[in-house]
Amino acid sequence: MNNPSSTAARNTAALDRYRTMRRIRSFEERVGELFLRGESAGSMLHLSIGEEGVVGVTDAMAQGDSFTTHHRGHGVFLARGADPVRMLAEIAGREDGYCRGKGGSMHIADRALGHLGANAIVGGGIPHVVGAGLSYRNQASGQVSAAFFGDGAMQQGILYEAMNMAALWRLPVVFCCINNQYGMGTRIDRAAASVDFVARAEAFGLAGVSADGADVEAVYAAAQDVFAGARAGRPGFIEVSAYRFHGHARMDKSPYRTAEEEAEGRRRDPLARARDRLIAEGLADAVDLDRLDAEAGAEMDRALAQATGAPLPPLASMFEDVYDPTTPAPEPLRHRLARILNA
Amino acid sequence: MNNPSSTAARNTAALDRYRTMRRIRSFEERVGELFLRGESAGSMLHLSIGEEGVVGVTDAMAQGDSFTTHHRGHGVFLARGADPVRMLAEIAGREDGYCRGKGGSMHIADRALGHLGANAIVGGGIPHVVGAGLSYRNQASGQVSAAFFGDGAMQQGILYEAMNMAALWRLPVVFCCINNQYGMGTRIDRAAASVDFVARAEAFGLAGVSADGADVEAVYAAAQDVFAGARAGRPGFIEVSAYRFHGHARMDKSPYRTAEEEAEGRRRDPLARARDRLIAEGLADAVDLDRLDAEAGAEMDRALAQATGAPLPPLASMFEDVYDPTTPAPEPLRHRLARILNA
Amino acid sequence: MSETTYREALRAALEDAMDQDPAILLIGEEVGLYGGAYGVSRGLLDRFGPDRVIDAPISEPAIVGTAVGAAMTGSRPVAELMYVDFAGLVMDQLANQAAKSRYMFGGQIAVPMVLRTQGGTGRSAAAQHSQSLEAWFLHTPGLRLVMPATVNDAYHLLRAALTQPDPVVFIEHKGLYTLKGAWDRGRPDAGWGEALVRRPGRDLTIVTYSRMLHESLAAADTLAARGIDAEVIDLRCLNPLDEATMVASVRRTGRVMVVSEGVLTGGVAAELSARLQELCFDQLEEPILRIAGEDIPIPVSPDLERASIPSAGLIVEAAGQLMRREVAAWAR
Amino acid sequence: MSETTYREALRAALEDAMDQDPAILLIGEEVGLYGGAYGVSRGLLDRFGPDRVIDAPISEPAIVGTAVGAAMTGSRPVAELMYVDFAGLVMDQLANQAAKSRYMFGGQIAVPMVLRTQGGTGRSAAAQHSQSLEAWFLHTPGLRLVMPATVNDAYHLLRAALTQPDPVVFIEHKGLYTLKGAWDRGRPDAGWGEALVRRPGRDLTIVTYSRMLHESLAAADTLAARGIDAEVIDLRCLNPLDEATMVASVRRTGRVMVVSEGVLTGGVAAELSARLQELCFDQLEEPILRIAGEDIPIPVSPDLERASIPSAGLIVEAAGQLMRREVAAWAR
Ligand SMILES: Cc1ncc(C[n+]2csc(CCOP(=O)(O)OP(=O)(O)O)c2C)c(N)n1
Ligand SMILES: Cc1ncc(C[n+]2csc(CCOP(=O)(O)OP(=O)(O)O)c2C)c(N)n1
Ligand SMILES: [Mg+2]
Ligand SMILES: [Mg+2]
């Protein structure tokens, strides 16, 4: 998270990024398992496998920076320090989950970690970081707020409204597009007349850069500049290219793309690339990395077991959290019916 | 309207454009009078004085091309052949108006002339031309549809969604921004982080050009290319620069801009410029043009008199045109109350 | 007369209509190659080609706006909004443009389009993918509004929607796509704008629509076993609204429950309740009860989600109390 | 106690609140240099500077989205929507984001923002600038909803809205800005969420809010001259809704009219009618009447515009018939 000055620190950070990416992948595999066991709340589970290179962006953030994510946001959140147990509990709709079983996979958040909320409306969370940037500017807090979203959101008008406002008011804001080439079954060139997204961002007054998401260190280098600029009032845009290894959500078998394309896409694996580089640069050997992989797997196994052991939320909790508890709450229908029938 | 091949035709067309611009100005002056006489329906009247250079765009359109306009759309509509009597009658809320007194200044239209509707929602009419373009493409009709809007709409997200769709599907569509430097009291540089609007359009895959709206012939030349491209499936964007001579609407005295700025802006008068050019090029002399000006004034005086002599719409007409007349209409409240009270 | 699913009936309606009317276009996210998020438009891209089955970018406002413009110029577009929850993105194009164009322009400009979408709970899709927002559309003059509950209605109401001169919001229920039922391609259950008595009864009228029809029918069965004979009315269309069928029933039974999945406050149930009270006041024996969604966002956890909307159980419970109340009143 | 205008009371509320709470920001189109399209924020830019009074581009969805994010991070934003008619552009940010964040995130994330806007007819502003869309907000759990009718309420309800922990939609009426009335900076007419009996009466209850309060009071005066003593209740807040005050009145009078400017079908009047019927059934002597806007878009021509919404005259007419109906019933 800090700007590592010594070579040693840089090396540790690279290894840490690998570990974070591995933890994300292991986590997402457990989400898949949860679904197969019929224990997830629904099937609207969007795995970020293949997109772990975004860790280069999350690592460029500082403690206290805030962010919003889209429906495929597990990886970003984990990288920012989320507790996998509470995440899985939420995805399973349990009382111990981050959102008390009310939000689920698409609405996970932890205010304490700066997560202002995952959003199931494509583009829905983007303008929130403009507002956060406004608060930070006025509070002179030095914080930055970053929106994470997919290439699909590049076709939502609200993005350009938000970009323009951030640039106009010179807010500490970063827009990060994880371009995994697809919005559901639609390849990006069937959705966007021009796929030069950096040019779009620049036309709205932002500093823009595109980074190869298969190379987490390259992403990290690019992101550091973007965040430094944003912190100084020059909001920026960063595109992280990736390939969505699996279907859009758990039920999707991706019939709209060929096996060859998928094989090719999966060869751009940020984990394999990082592993090779760590070994080539002598920062770790295969045994170290295997151990680290196993640890990540074991951690997530434990998390899964703990999460699925958590209790379900009590029915009455349904009426909580609509409004602040010091103000009038919704009246349950049964109470209302009783009032009417006994009137 | 046609592509004039001979010099004579070109000269006549230039004179015609001057006449159209003069008619627009005279018309708008009568709208101001209507308001002062207390005979307009409300005060939400947005004069296009100063923006007459847009006639270079409307003249590049072919018969059968359709268009949508914004709240400041009188000029565009007149240029496309509107009857000033029916326009003024509509603005006065009369039965004989284009919309039977239901729409008023901001919602004037004539389907027969290709006007798909003026819109009071900034940006609201823009996507309609994408749909029209889709129809024309599928009908292979050779028509183009053009959206006219202000610089303020450059900050509405729906514009970029529409641009992207038009470019992606190669539709016969033109986006025309009349950049009069202001959205109400906000100068464009206080609303847009970057005012290079052509760059924005290009980033969404459109052919883009900016033209000096004080020079109607320059606008016409630029617009011809844009419409030719659009007709061939290369949708385009054209910015017509201008200065809004008067306040935003009839009540606005523009306290947010200086007298010097206004004087400077009014010097960029498309009518004065065209007049000078016609005389300089020997196409007309001052006497001809004075006569033409007087004719336009007299025409609009007659129109005003006729329009204000038109009857008000009968109250019962209020319930018509909500739905097609062959289908169930809304029940007037008084009928309903009678049914209830006599039940 | 055959049997099929709600999904397949919708697909067949699109296919048959597109066959007959070349002006019909489909436009929406994933309607083509993917076949629709819920599989309704499967096969139509192959059949009708990309000029008529148009995969759109994720640009809901412009999708609906495009449909408006296409409808104004000789096409008959079906715009698909993947979830009714995204209505918040398109209400301007729908309520200010599609719904008002005919009126604002004095009858000159019609917008014969259909907005197809789906809503409701049942898939643990949480607060932004589970809503029932028909009340927003009902409150918008200029729109027609249809919510089919049965397989045959899925087919025939969609066919009818595609002949309407004005914009129609057509809301499917995500919980009904796999519903099987009788389908007669040649014969609708009833005309456009007509409500249907799906189950006759003497003691009590239940007015409902969309998926709640099935909960209501199940409740009526249980009630029958307890000696309460409930009449169940399926509205089918909310605009135009068939008051006459409801009123005739209520004047006969004197007791009504309106059942709707949308949240209670400000919902369709309120409108139905208000109308029936107005027109049946002198015949009402008991207060009209609204059985509707709780006034909360939809929670993701499956048990909570289920408990947040009406069920057959709740309908039975409320009906039982409503009938008992009468006895209590006599006893007073 | 002094006198001022509705507009000035609103301005003063913003000024006083911003003075006391440095977290308050205004953001919206023309709120700064221009002073607000209806002049409500005049002078505030000079007073509080451009970091707190922020002129925004014409980007309604992102304006509301920005307010949501600002509210999540320690600011207390007032987002201004110039006309409530533009709600269609922002319903996603309002209903799916602002309203649902606390819930979806299990209580962690509050969105203490105010959406200030104005609605209603009276300026011949036509179909896209004259609507009354409060029903959409009322149907959205998670939002609070306030509609002040008087000068003192304009001040105090806005002050109170700016202390609420949840998003508040605050709707002014364009026809009231020049209204003059009593203003006591130190004392609200009543608390947040409380309805007020603005005129006591024995024969009939009129429940209303916003500008229709004044039509209702005028009607009550006329009715009084005809020997009909109407009680007039001003709801002030629609969420939270003060059922108790309404119910107490209706149980006493046995006759009710609800009066609302919004279009009848699916409107707030339906909710009020349904509620009162439910809770006062045994005390109702006559059907609850809804006096509301016609089910049409607002026409521009002044006479048509006026005739499309309720007036004192219509209220008197309906009340007279409602009272006469009783006689007819006895006579049967
Ligand atoms: C406003 C909105 N439109 C449509 C959807 C349905 N939807 C969910 S995810 C998705 C694709 C998003 O693609 P992208 O933004 O690239 O994210 P990815 O899934 O690839 O991570 C779509 C269309 C939605 N949730 N919200
Ligand atoms: C969606 C929407 N937002 C705000 C307004 C209020 N409004 C009407 S005109 C206008 C300024 C528009 O500026 P521009 O687009 O440049 O057009 P101009 O008035 O300069 O011709 C504004 C803010 C509106 N009518 N619609
Ligand atoms: Mg993607
Ligand atoms: Mg302008």
Side-chain angles (χ1 to χ4, degrees), chain C:
Chain C
M1 178 73 112
S2 61
E3 188 171 86
T4 190
T5 61
Y6 188 82
R7 171 188 286 124
E8 173 56 20
L10 292 164
R11 202 203 56 71
L14 290 174
E15 186 169 32
D16 291 355
M18 290 180 79
D19 245 351
Q20 285 182 20
D21 181 353
I24 297 177
L25 313 174
L26 304 192
I27 173 167
E29 295 155 19
E30 309 295 336
V31 297
L33 202 54
Y34 200 94
Y38 283 90
V40 170
S41 49
R42 207 162 281 162
L44 299 180
L45 173 64
D46 282 349
R47 176 89 202 268
F48 298 103
D51 283 357
R52 294 185 63 195
V53 180
I54 304 167
D55 276 322
I58 308 177
S59 304
E60 285 83 0
I63 289 171
V64 176
T66 293
V68 170
M72 288 173 169
T73 49
S75 299
R76 187 180 272 283
V78 180
E80 181 175 316
L81 190 66
M82 202 184 281
Y83 285 78
V84 76
D85 308 70
F86 310 158
L89 294 165
V90 307
M91 283 310 282
D92 184 68
Q93 285 298 323
L94 199 63
N96 279 335
Q97 313 298 338
K100 296 185 174 52
S101 285
R102 182 189 288 277
Y103 196 80
M104 294 191 301
F105 306 132
Q108 294 179 70
I109 302 184
V111 185
M113 63 174 277
V114 173
L115 184 85
R116 260 194 65 231
T117 186
Q118 58 80 27
T121 59
R123 295 204 59 216
S124 285
Q128 294 175 338
H129 279 67
S130 307
Q131 295 169 85
S132 297
L133 297 177
E134 58 271 20
W136 292 0
F137 311 122
L138 185 69
H139 191 51
T140 306
L143 299 179
R144 300 297 188 186
L145 177 59
V146 199
M147 297 184 71
T150 69
V151 169
N152 210 40
D153 270 356
Y155 180 84
H156 289 285
L157 288 175
L158 185 49
R159 290 297 306 268
L162 282 165
T163 64
Q164 288 296 309
D166 290 302
V168 178
V169 178
F170 186 95
I171 311 182
E172 302 158 16
H173 196 294
K174 62 169 73 59
L176 293 180
Y177 285 121
T178 57
L179 175 80
K180 282 209 176 106
W183 177 36
D184 186 338
R185 212 172 194 130
R187 229 186 57 187
D189 288 355
W192 177 259
E194 287 175 19
L196 263 179
V197 176
R198 293 283 184 190
R199 181 193 196 286
R202 283 160 317 170
D203 298 335
L204 166 73
T205 302
I206 300 178
V207 178
T208 189
Y209 59 93
S210 190
R211 198 184 51 157
M212 283 297 139
L213 169 65
H214 304 284
E215 295 294 323
S216 299
L217 288 171
D221 283 346
T222 307
L223 288 167
R226 299 186 190 173
I228 299 173
D229 188 21
E231 177 146 311
V232 179
I233 294 179
D234 175 8
L235 290 174
R236 306 168 71 243
C237 296
L238 293 174
N239 181 343
L241 181 67
D242 179 355
E243 255 184 7
T245 298
M246 288 189 282
V247 167
S249 173
V250 174
R251 289 194 178 153
R252 197 160 26 75
T253 63
R255 287 175 190 77
V256 204
M257 298 184 5
V258 292
V259 183
S260 159
E261 187 169 330
V263 304
L264 181 90
T265 299
V268 169
E271 178 62 35
L272 299 173
S273 170
R275 269 180 198 250
L276 292 172
Q277 181 269 144
E278 285 159 358
L279 294 169
C280 308
F281 185 81
D282 292 334
Q283 292 83 22
L284 282 179
E285 305 276 356
E286 297 294 340
I288 302 174
L289 294 188
R290 289 182 290 167
I291 312 291
E294 300 286 356
D295 279 328
I296 63 173
I298 305 293
V300 82
S301 201
D303 292 349
L304 268 56
E305 182 194 37
R306 252 188 311 275
S308 74
I309 61 149
S311 59
L314 179 65
I315 300 168
V316 167
E317 195 182 313
Q321 287 166 13
L322 192 66
M323 299 308 289
R324 264 200 306 284
R325 184 176 184 269
E326 179 195 22
V327 180
W330 279 114
R332 261 194 236 136

Side-chain angles (χ1 to χ4, degrees), chain B residues 51 70-72 149-153 178-184 186 188 244 248:
Chain B
E51 302 180 1
H70 60 329
H71 56 281
R72 201 178 301 284
F149 49 88
D151 46 286
I178 305 173
N179 183 349
N180 64 7
Q181 317 298 320
Y182 279 87
M184 289 186 73
T186 304
I188 184 62
R244 196 189 73 203
H248 168 68

